[in-house]
Amino acid sequence: MFFRAIALLAGLLFGLGMMISGMVNPTNVIGFLDIFGQWNPSLAFVMGGALLVFMPGYFLLIRRQPKPMLAETFCLSDNQSLDKRLVSGSALFGIGWGLAGICPGPAITLLGSGSGSVALFFLSMLAGMYLVNIVDDKRATLDISPQR
């Protein structure tokens, strides 16, 4: 129960930080991504500041740990292949982020704003995740592996 409370607190703190820094504002995000137009570098400073806060703790505490606090071993993927599914999913994510200026984390934070367009984005995101699960289940049933 203690770790769940810590996770909730960390999530709330993260969401508050995204709101204060402007990372949930689609106009700021699109301005940051528009490197050939009116580029807005403010989010680069937000990311740099986050790294400055994170890196000392990582190098002094986390990196030195022989194993995770709540598991026996680290569970890292050994998959190093680029397949159509990874590339197309990354492209869809980038296109959606560039067009809407919202990605999943900020979308959840922005739900509290009551904006209809954010709600539509979030519902579309959930529908896409649901459709991917249906396709995966169908592939598993038919024993079809994704093409690489």
Side-chain angles (χ1 to χ4, degrees), residues 53-127:
V53 170
F54 170 76
M55 285 175 61
Y58 174 78
F59 286 111
L60 294 173
L61 301 172
I62 298 171
R63 188 170 181 208
R64 296 178 183 213
Q65 298 297 319
K67 67 181 190 102
M69 289 176 58
L70 301 175
E72 292 301 315
T73 61
F74 288 103
C75 300
L76 302 174
S77 175
D78 58 355
N79 183 4
Q80 296 183 357
S81 64
L82 294 176
D83 58 8
K84 289 179 185 178
R85 184 173 175 188
L86 176 65
V87 173
S88 61
S90 300
L92 281 173
F93 177 87
I95 290 167
W97 190 34
L99 289 175
I102 307 171
C103 66
I108 294 169
T109 303
L110 281 171
L111 278 176
S113 71
S115 167
S117 60
V118 172
L120 179 61
F121 176 89
F122 188 76
L123 290 173
S124 300
M125 183 178 72
L126 290 178

Side-chain angles (χ1 to χ4, degrees), residues 33-48:
L33 295 173
D34 187 11
I35 58 174
F36 296 113
Q38 293 182 326
W39 185 58
N40 178 357
S42 62
L43 294 185
F45 292 110
V46 170
M47 289 183 249

Side-chain angles (χ1 to χ4, degrees), residues 6 11 13 18 23 27 31 33 42 49 53 68 88 100 113 119 127 131 136 147:
I6 295 295
L13 185 62
M18 287 191 336
M23 289 190 76
T27 306
L33 295 173
S42 62
V53 170
S88 61
S113 71
L131 288 172
D136 282 350
Q147 294 181 2

Side-chain angles (χ1 to χ4, degrees), residues 7 20 29 41 56 132 140:
I20 291 171
V29 174
V132 166

